[in-house]
Amino acid sequence: MPRLKILVYYIILFVLIALIAAYLFFKPMDEMSMPAMISISMVLVLYSVLISLAGEIKSEDEREVLHRNLSNRVATIAATIFISGGLIYQIFVTHHIDWWLLAAIIIINLTKITSLIYFHYKK
């Protein structure tokens, strides 16, 4: 039964991604009303909370721990590549940098380096 709960949890995450993508794809961003902004913001907050808890259940064996660690590594790499691509695009195409993108990539990398140092010296 727990595996079914995990599957349902991941399906809910995929549905939330699909709802966000569909809404943003079919609704131009410059025409968004206040209720629409609030609703999409609420869905994004819900998604952020749920995705941050994904895979954080108690692991039963080493294989599940390895899978969780690998998925976290792949997510970090994907986020870093995506944000770096956005920064490169902004530098060469718009000649303008959004500082929150730069801050995001710095936070991702500082967190990774700090956690690696911490776990290396943890007794």
Side-chain angles (χ1 to χ4, degrees):
M1 187 63 177
R3 297 219 186 263
L4 182 61
K5 287 182 183 179
I6 293 170
L7 182 63
V8 168
Y9 182 76
Y10 291 146
I11 289 172
I12 289 171
L13 289 173
F14 279 124
V15 167
L16 284 174
I17 290 172
L19 286 174
I20 293 168
Y23 187 82
L24 294 176
F25 182 74
F26 292 115
K27 185 80 168 169
M29 296 302 285
D30 54 346
E31 298 177 11
M32 202 176 283
S33 65
M34 183 58 74
M37 286 191 292
I38 291 173
S39 65
I40 195 71
S41 297
M42 290 172 51
V43 171
L44 283 170
V45 167
L46 176 65
Y47 176 76
S48 298
V49 169
L50 290 176
I51 197 67
S52 67
L53 298 174
E56 298 303 322
I57 59 173
K58 186 175 179 181
S59 299
E60 296 177 6
D61 60 5
E62 301 86 24
R63 185 178 55 91
E64 289 183 6
V65 172
L66 176 66
H67 289 174
R68 182 174 56 214
N69 290 341
L70 287 174
S71 68
N72 286 336
R73 180 177 295 165
V74 169
T76 302
I77 291 169
T80 302
I81 290 171
F82 187 76
I83 293 171
S84 297
L87 282 170
I88 291 169
Y89 174 81
Q90 286 187 337
I91 289 169
F92 288 108
V93 175
T94 66
H95 306 289
H96 173 279
I97 293 178
D98 286 330
W99 293 106
W100 64 271
L101 276 176
L102 191 58
I105 200 159
I106 290 170
I107 289 169
I108 288 171
N109 291 313
L110 279 178
T111 305
K112 182 176 182 177
I113 292 167
T114 306
S115 63
L116 284 172
I117 292 170
Y118 172 76
F119 289 121
H120 180 73
Y121 292 107
K122 182 181 172 187
K123 302 257 179 190

